[in-house]
Amino acid sequence: MIVVLGAGLAGLSTALHLGGREFAVIERESEVGGLARSACQDGFCFDFAGHVLHLRDASVRALVDDLLGEDQLHVQRSAWIRLGDRLVPYPFQVNTHALPLADRVACVAGFAHTLLPRPPARGARLSCQDWILDSFGAGFAERFFLPYNEKCLATDLTTLSADWPERAIPKPDLEEVVRGALGIAARAPFGANATFRYPRSGGMHRLPEAMARRLPPVRRGARALRIDARRRVLELADGSALAYDALVATNPLPELIAMISDLGPEERAAAARLRHSSLSCFCFGLRGALPHGRHWVYCPEKRYPFHRVSYPANIAPSMAPAGMSSACAEVSYARDCFPPPAGAEEGVLAGLIAAGEIEDAGRVVLCRRLDLPFAYVLHDGARREVLPLLFRALRERSIIPVGRYATWSYLSMEDVILQGKEAAAHLCRGS
């Protein structure tokens, strides 16, 4: 018996690919989806943070087509950056033509400087901040990349390692930067999600729901309390227990380590060193249609509490009732500052009005907050040091971590679907 702990995309993908193996999927919430859930109220629908499907892998595209069929939209991205009184097209690194001339010159000159021959780096590893400065120059870094990522991750970028931005932030060549400064259209779309897919109705939750329908019933509302690794038994809060041959875990790694009965102080102390940020999505249902078709806007400036504002009904009209619209502001918090204080909604709404993202408070007909205690895992030196120890302890106990939080990695939805598929392949081979 294989037990899959968690019915988010990682756990559901693992179960879908297990073939004829006997398995059970355990989910502590009343619905499947994990981070890919959606919340619907009074005809409005909001995702737990902004999600779109950019699919590079042919097998994942085929799976999504099989699951959603015609119930998916193929969308051309409309993303922007709010800087002062200007809206700059995203990605920033190839669209500085929307900036004043002095800013364009600073960005291009700084980027060109990064291309000059330099002595090899010595000593300590590059920090995230150092990598951004070395890769893009001070012009790009100071105007967008540094302030935005500090807000989004709710941490000092000098404390993070360079392995995260190397993967997450695409770097153009000099010609692309110059063309962007001159307003000459790019030869090809730049960035990972220039086009993306999204469910036609029901929000991103439609994808995990469709996955769950292909499986035996997921055991919902079942909270795991303890893993007896010696006996290979998972104990649940209702007093029941499940014996397993292998356990696929998708819950956050610190919580997973705390559940395993026979781990010692070394592993528990290591897990305590892992850092993450939390997120609240402040969701607003709005009276009337929006005067623009933007999908989302990045807001790096400190005067706004949120780092991104998305417009769900501009992506899929079904996300709001007819004649209505919606906006969702994402605010990141350091772990010890979460959850946000009472009244935080008023401050976020005031910021949206000040930014011009919502005209006035009279348009708001619904306000709802969605909290994500675990949002972004932070790639720092401690993470690099402790993960080998923790993964070795799990492997010795036939526990397989899958997904963003169990592997403590920055992963997309496609990444976690592929991880689940890979984990299932190992299990089917008896590995």
Side-chain angles (χ1 to χ4, degrees), residues 141-196:
E142 293 169 359
R143 285 160 180 79
F144 177 63
F145 290 116
L146 295 181
Y148 175 75
N149 285 293
E150 284 181 352
K151 283 181 74 175
C152 178
L153 301 175
T155 196
D156 180 352
L157 298 185
T158 63
T159 68
L160 303 184
S161 59
D163 58 345
W164 168 76
E166 284 177 334
R167 178 170 183 244
I169 305 176
K171 184 176 178 180
D173 59 32
L174 182 58
E175 180 183 349
E176 290 171 316
V177 170
V178 172
R179 290 172 69 94
L182 297 175
I184 302 172
R187 291 195 174 95
F190 186 83
N193 55 5
T195 59
F196 59 87

Side-chain angles (χ1 to χ4, degrees), residues 100-412:
L101 178 60
D103 292 302
R104 282 182 275 163
V105 170
C107 289
V108 175
F111 185 83
H113 185 74
T114 69
L115 305 178
L116 297 176
R118 285 174 288 178
R122 296 178 182 272
R125 293 174 181 263
L126 280 181
S127 71
C128 176
Q129 178 171 298
D130 291 336
W131 183 90
I132 290 171
L133 286 165
D134 285 0
S135 299
F136 293 96
F140 280 115
E142 293 169 359
R143 285 160 180 79
F144 177 63
F145 290 116
L146 295 181
Y148 175 75
N149 285 293
E150 284 181 352
K151 283 181 74 175
C152 178
L153 301 175
T155 196
D156 180 352
L157 298 185
T158 63
T159 68
L160 303 184
S161 59
D163 58 345
W164 168 76
E166 284 177 334
R167 178 170 183 244
I169 305 176
K171 184 176 178 180
D173 59 32
L174 182 58
E175 180 183 349
E176 290 171 316
V177 170
V178 172
R179 290 172 69 94
L182 297 175
I184 302 172
R187 291 195 174 95
F190 186 83
N193 55 5
T195 59
F196 59 87
R197 302 181 185 204
Y198 194 82
R200 191 178 297 275
S201 60
M204 191 53 70
H205 192 62
R206 288 297 297 274
L207 179 60
E209 280 183 333
M211 297 169 79
R213 285 197 294 270
R214 300 287 179 91
L215 300 172
V218 173
R219 187 168 173 179
R220 308 178 191 217
R223 185 164 63 90
L225 283 184
R226 181 174 175 270
I227 298 170
D228 186 331
R230 288 197 176 93
R231 294 193 302 130
R232 296 194 181 185
V233 170
L234 175 67
E235 300 174 1
L236 303 178
D238 64 3
S240 63
L242 285 172
Y244 64 83
D245 299 303
L247 176 68
V248 176
T250 68
N251 50 328
L253 187 55
E255 293 185 354
L256 174 61
I257 295 300
M259 292 169 59
I260 302 173
S261 61
D262 68 329
L263 287 180
E266 183 182 9
E267 291 88 358
R268 299 187 190 283
R273 295 177 62 193
L274 295 172
R275 295 193 300 135
H276 68 276
S277 57
S278 303
L279 181 76
S280 287
C281 302
F282 295 84
C283 307
F284 299 91
L286 304 175
R287 183 180 292 107
L290 289 169
H292 60 77
R294 297 190 288 270
H295 296 145
W296 61 85
V297 178
Y298 300 96
C299 301
E301 295 175 324
K302 291 182 178 180
R303 57 178 165 161
Y304 306 124
F306 40 82
H307 60 269
R308 184 169 70 162
V309 184
S310 59
Y311 299 98
N314 280 355
I315 296 175
S318 65
M319 298 292 278
M324 301 284 197
S325 52
S326 56
C328 183
E330 298 173 35
V331 184
S332 289
Y333 299 91
R335 180 174 56 180
D336 55 358
C337 298
F338 186 82
E345 290 83 356
E346 287 79 1
V348 171
L349 179 57
L352 290 170
I353 295 170
E357 299 296 335
I358 294 178
E359 290 89 337
D360 60 77
R363 290 195 61 182
V364 177
V365 298
L366 178 146
C367 178
R368 179 167 183 175
R369 194 182 85 204
L370 306 176
D371 288 338
L372 285 75
F374 287 86
Y376 298 103
V377 301
L378 298 181
H379 287 228
D380 58 10
R383 172 188 177 275
R384 186 170 54 245
E385 292 174 12
V386 306
L387 286 189
L389 168 68
L390 298 179
F391 289 161
R392 183 169 61 252
L394 296 178
R395 185 168 59 249
E396 291 169 350
R397 291 160 177 79
S398 298
I399 298 173
I400 303 170
V402 178
R404 173 184 286 198
Y405 301 117
T407 63
W408 212 252
S409 300
Y410 185 89
L411 299 175
S412 68

